[in-house]
Amino acid sequence: IDFVNNEKIKFLTKLGKSVIINSQEINATGRATAGVCGIKLNDGDEVVCAAALPENTTHIVLISKSALTKKIPMSEFSIANRATKGSSIQKLKEGDSMASFIAVTSEDKDITLVSNIGMIKIPLDSMEEHSKTTQGVHSKVLAEKEHIIKVVR
């Protein structure tokens, strides 16, 4: 991840944990160093997506591998310290895991869900807002053996 200014960085884990930190908390390191911890992980968890959030971000759109999608207003999130476990951001059914997230602004009109079989475009104005603790809604009927890989603009 390249940081230009004092940006917010969001981390999302496979098991539905998330944290937003300030990029100023990350000190520059040399090639031979191991880097710094952005989010503390539980056993069996891993980071599936990390990205800098634009200053004018209005919502975060999350998607699980089973196409559970939700649009959460930025006002639901707070800035945390790095190397914390973060908060639970998605209730997942057994066998499901998080795939990706995307930060959206008021200029964005739609998002594209990318699966291992194809893509589908969804207008943002057709998506209802949800809180961090909800499960979300199925945004796509998946074929057998199909799963979501990521969400893009």
Side-chain angles (χ1 to χ4, degrees), residues 67-138:
L68 281 175
T69 308
K70 63 182 180 176
K71 180 172 77 171
I72 305 172
M74 273 302 290
S75 60
E76 291 251 345
F77 299 98
S78 58
I79 307 296
N81 294 322
R82 76 176 178 78
T84 60
K85 287 195 175 192
S87 59
S88 189
I89 196 167
Q90 179 89 10
K91 288 183 179 179
L92 295 167
K93 293 181 179 179
E94 192 172 327
D96 196 9
S97 63
M98 296 307 298
S100 185
F101 76 87
I102 191 167
V104 295
T105 66
S106 57
E107 293 87 39
D108 293 322
K109 301 297 178 220
D110 50 287
I111 57 169
T112 303
L113 305 181
V114 181
S115 77
N116 59 329
I117 293 176
M119 298 183 289
I120 183 172
K121 192 175 272 195
I122 299 175
L124 282 168
D125 60 5
S126 71
M127 297 179 72
E128 292 183 26
E129 287 186 358
H130 294 276
S131 71
K132 290 194 310 185
T133 57
T134 60
Q135 190 172 32
V137 296
H138 281 280

Side-chain angles (χ1 to χ4, degrees), residues 36 39 48 62 76 119 128 139:
V36 296
I39 185 170
V48 293
L62 298 154
E76 291 251 345
M119 298 183 289
E128 292 183 26
S139 54

Side-chain angles (χ1 to χ4, degrees), residues 31-72:
R31 281 188 326 198
T33 60
V36 296
C37 179
I39 185 170
K40 195 176 201 178
L41 299 171
N42 291 323
D43 288 341
D45 207 358
E46 61 190 62
V47 173
V48 293
C49 191
L53 304 177
E55 231 178 87
N56 58 345
T57 299
T58 58
H59 293 83
I60 300 290
V61 176
L62 298 154
I63 183 127
S64 74
K65 288 190 175 194
S66 69
L68 281 175
T69 308
K70 63 182 180 176
K71 180 172 77 171
I72 305 172

